Every structure is written in structure tokens, then in C-alpha cells.
Amino acid sequence: MATRGFPEGFAWGAATASYQIEGSVTADGRGASIWDTFAHTPGKVLNGENGDVAVDHYARYAEDVALMGSLGLNAYRFSLSWPRIQPGGRGVNGAGLDFYKRLVDELLEQGITPYATLYHWDLPQELQDAGGWPERDTAYRFAEYAQVAHEALSDRVKHWMTVNEPWCAAFLGYGSGDHAPGLRSSAQAVRAAHHLLLAHGLAAPLLKANDCLVGAAPNLYAVTPVSDSEADLDAARRIDGLQNRFFLDALLRGSYPEDVVADLEPFGFADVVQPGDLDLIGGKVDFLGINYYSRHTVSADPDAAGMVATSPFASASPWPGAESVAFVNAGRPVTDMGWEVDPGGLHEILTRVAKEYPSVPLYITENGAAYVDTVADGGVDDQERLDYIEAHLAACHDAIADGVPLKGYFAWSFLDNFEWGWGYGKRFGLVYVDYETQVRIPKSSAHWYGRVARHNGLS
Ligand code: BGC
């Protein structure tokens, strides 16, 4: 069988996030985050579940890293818990930093390159009490936190990502309220979106010291209108604008798209952006991380069936300026999240970003799928997840052949974990976790993906 080889040095990894896996939420001086508060609020997470224990990675990190190494991964993307490092959002908690030093040492010992994300949604609760991301000050607090983390770890961690999926943090956290802190205000959400990007801009120069590379990890979607009608084309423009161009233009061009600024005008967006902000934000990345899961097919008809499920309790729109756009099921197979499987969308996004925003190395920092898994004879045969990842890796391979500077791929996720509003009900892991015993069972996809990583290619 022909092998589809990847470029030498390609990063083959998996990704996780602190609140989703660590547990030990009061250990070694960790403070509370907005996700602790949110998950403990009745009616916010399915079955009242929370990350108090999660998959106990805080205690089991060495076992988890050893498993990664034995499978053959050469890279690992994880996030640092801000309230472990700065309980209350200020100062330095040495014991919290020590956890990440131990984790990184373990990774390096296994020959696994660490890729650290600073913000995967666990804002210290005290900073939310002071207003959270809608407040400009939070961006300055973030830069201080970035400096503390970088000083402690930059001798060993050379790849840093500032913010993970700022669209979700802003529009699900402050707009629809499906994510922590659960506020429902489009005006607050657009403020949060800008300040998350400002946080990136303030932190990025600090993170480059010590020969480090800086990126961010927005979640991008391919977007298609259901028809060529003017109304549907406009619906697609609005969704593409808020989901993709808003973040790409800011991060890579130092500007916001004019049409999106106009869409956001009723929410006071123009007053949020201060002179000089976009110069701080733009052009600071050494690489761009892309989280890709699916395509949005959109219609201007608010009665068109379908909605992208962001939480089992989703009720308000996370799309300021596009509240009446409908998300349509285009008939592709869906994952256990109800998300359509569309590897062609990944190829589309990669080639588009490479063409419209040239000369930035790219990584897929998340891609993967939830499916229902069952343990049989001590193993988990997850052929659907394997097929999903294989098809998306083939799309990556095609994109590289088309000249896209793709440097690595991180499957979401290494382990089954706390899937935000869905609790433990949705499994994305390459590795199955028995939540009663915390036993880890690598699924078929993990064994297969490890072989792909070791061979640096698909066969
Ligand atoms: C997030 C992850 C999440 C995954 C699946 C991304 O939106 O970064 O934390 O678990 O997608 O929903």
C-alpha cells in the first residue's frame, strides 16, 4: 500500500485542557475558576457533573505521559490552569507551577515536545468577580500571568499558545451563557472577544523571550450558504465573519473586517477598541493553531431546521448580528455531538488560511470526534473515530501537497474527559477512561494513530 508521508519533523500529538482532565481542584493552593463555579451551579452541566475529579490527571500525569510515549506520539498540547499558577488571578503559586514543571520534565524524558496553552477557559473566579473578559483590565492580568508562566517554564517549553478558541470563550461564555461564566449579553460578549485578543497581543511579545514561538488557537469552520440567494449569502458572510475572519484578520493582519465591525455596531463594539489595540494584536504570531471540527451550512431562514449544539441547555444565540441565521443539517454523517463529518472543510480552511494570510506556519491544534464507545474484551474498537481522524489527516496531506505550511496535528483529545456542558457524556479520547476506576484503555484509534506517528505518514 502506498504511504502518504508527512514532512520531516511533523508534530504528531494529542491535546487536552486543564479543567477537562486535571481534577484536584483544591490541591496545592489552586484557586477557583469560573468553570468550578459554573459547573457547581445547578442546571448548567448535564447531570450536574463537574471537573472536581475529572480524569485525575493531576495525580496520574506520569502514567498518562508514559502512555503517550509508548503509543509513539512526539508532541503534546496541554493547557495551564491559571488559578493553579495565580490563585485569585495575581501573585505566584510555586506549588502550582511545580506541577507543570514535573509534567514538562516527564514529557521531555519521553521525547515528547510540549506545546502549552495559557488560556483554555478557566479564568480565576476573582477576575470574573471584577468583571471578567468584558473588562479591559483582564487582558493586563493575563499578560502578567503569561509572564509568570513563561519565566518558570520557557527553558523547556518553546511553543506557547495564548488563547484557545476565543470565539467560544467570548460568545458562549458571555453571549449565549452556555459556557462559564454563563452571562447572556451580546454587548458583554463583543467586549470579551476584543479583550481576549488584546490579551494575546499584550502577552505575545513577553512569550517570545528565550527563543520561544507564540501562537493562538482559534476554532475555524468552513461555512457554506444553503443557496445562492442574496439572503443566504449574507447569512454565510455574517457567520464566516464572526467565526473566522474576525479572529484571523485581527491576529494576522492587525485589523477587524469592516463588515463585521458594522454587524457589531449595535452592540457598542466600536467603543471597545482603543487606538493602538490592533497594532498590539496583529502580526504577533509565529504560528497559527487551527481547531477544526466541522462545517456550518447556513440559511437566512430562521425557521430552517437545525442548530449547532453548544450545550444541552442551549437557548440564547451566541451570534451577535446574526441571531436569525439558521444552521442547517446538510445530510452528512454526524458524530455523537451531532456535528457533521466534513474533512473537505478542513482542506478548505487550510488552503484558504495559507492563501489569504500567507507566511504563517500552521498547526491543527485540535481535531477529533465524539462517538459512543464500548469496552469489549478489554479493548475499545472505535472504528468511526479512527475513520474520522484518517480522513482529516488525508485532508492535511492534500493541503501540504497544495503548498500549505502545516507543521503538526493534535488529535482532540488524548483522554476521554469533561466535555463542558455535556459533562462526561461525550467521549473524544484516543484513550478510554473508566470514570469509576480511572483505568485507561487505549482505543483502536490510539494504537493506529501511534503507528501513523511513528511512520510519519498514512499507509
Ligand atoms: C475545545 C475543547 C472541547 C472540544 C470538543 C473545542 O471546542 O477547545 O475543549 O472539548 O472542542 O467540544
Side-chain angles (χ1 to χ4, degrees), residues 16-17 20 77 120-121 164-165 168 172 179 217 219 221 291 293 337 339 366 368 412-413 417-420 422 428:
T16 63
Q20 294 181 275
R77 173 175 181 243
H120 202 127
W121 310 349
N164 178 70
E165 302 193 354
C168 293
L172 300 180
H179 279 189
N219 50 328
Y221 281 75
N291 294 0
Y293 288 92
M337 299 296 284
W339 300 346
E366 282 183 32
W412 182 271
S413 177
N417 61 50
F418 177 76
E419 177 52 29
W420 308 116
W422 300 91
F428 274 91

